Amino acid sequence: GNSLRGEYEKINAEKLKEPRFLDRNVPRGKPVYYKVVAIDKSGNRSKPSAAVTIIPKDLIPPGPVSNVEVSIDPETRYAAIRWTAPEDTDIKGYYIYRGSKKEKLLRITDKPYYDKKEPTLFVDKGYRGRGLYPGGNIYYGVSACDYSYNEGEIVIVEAVVPDKVPPHPAYSLSAEVT
């Protein structure tokens, strides 16, 4: 079954001769619930046993995200990162990376990021919400993470941070008669 109290379906094709069963169609990384019904030689069926739960190990990472795009608001310098989710059904969330070099990205989400309203959108407001540093290139990476915390391939894109910030006025100006 899919839940402790939910509906259960028969998964063995014929009666078992030994008290064991190998289920080869188990989704990895998610809880699976089993109950057993005993049948005697006359065909009488027992009530179902109490449910047992297993969570099969999942060692396979999800596929990569695709169509990663970054748009940066020129006024706030907030970056909106959008992507398309992989086909996998066990996505817990996404890791977001940022860096000034493609080879030196740091993960900016401490746990898999997932927003129920917009699961494939992340807004980076920069350090303490001050916006990104104006001018120059910035790199973002996005990877999918499944319920077993396997991380998929990081897909990296480059963006240019707009620079609409005027320089500071000159100070300590002095003049001399020549």
Side-chain angles (χ1 to χ4, degrees):
N2 294 328
S3 69
L4 194 58
R5 299 185 198 282
E7 295 291 318
Y8 287 77
E9 64 182 71
K10 181 180 172 187
I11 58 174
N12 58 313
E14 47 191 64
K15 290 180 185 175
L16 303 175
K17 297 182 189 311
E18 295 186 32
R20 72 180 99 174
F21 178 74
L22 177 61
D23 188 355
R24 295 186 186 274
N25 298 314
V26 179
R28 300 287 179 210
K30 290 185 175 182
V32 179
Y33 305 89
Y34 294 95
K35 289 184 178 184
V36 175
V37 173
I39 302 173
D40 65 18
K41 290 181 182 181
S42 299
N44 298 310
R45 300 170 61 92
S46 71
K47 289 184 177 183
S49 68
V52 295
T53 307
I54 64 163
I55 301 176
K57 285 186 181 179
D58 178 6
L59 302 174
I60 301 169
V65 299
S66 57
N67 305 317
V68 180
E69 295 178 356
V70 177
S71 60
I72 301 175
D73 181 282
E75 300 301 322
T76 62
R77 296 185 319 278
Y78 291 177
I81 303 106
R82 295 182 184 277
W83 60 92
T84 301
E87 297 287 323
D88 302 72
T89 59
D90 66 335
I91 301 296
K92 181 173 184 65
Y94 301 90
Y95 287 122
I96 312 298
Y97 296 82
R98 176 182 65 209
S100 58
K101 294 183 180 181
K102 196 189 296 192
E103 303 79 24
K104 292 196 175 190
L105 297 178
L106 296 174
R107 192 166 75 194
I108 59 174
T109 51
D110 59 342
K111 58 186 176 188
Y113 169 80
Y114 190 82
D115 182 327
K116 288 181 181 178
K117 290 181 184 175
E118 294 192 72
T120 58
L121 167 68
F122 179 82
V123 177
D124 180 14
K125 296 181 179 181
Y127 181 69
R128 293 191 176 183
R130 296 179 187 155
L132 300 168
Y133 191 77
N137 295 3
I138 192 162
Y139 294 89
Y140 283 100
V142 180
S143 66
C145 178
D146 66 18
Y147 285 98
S148 296
Y149 291 91
N150 297 307
E151 183 179 3
E153 174 188 342
I154 301 171
V155 177
I156 301 170
V157 295
E158 180 181 10
V160 176
V161 182
D163 185 358
K164 294 185 94 180
V165 179
H168 292 287
Y171 61 95
S172 296
L173 182 65
S174 65
E176 189 176 306
V177 178
T178 56

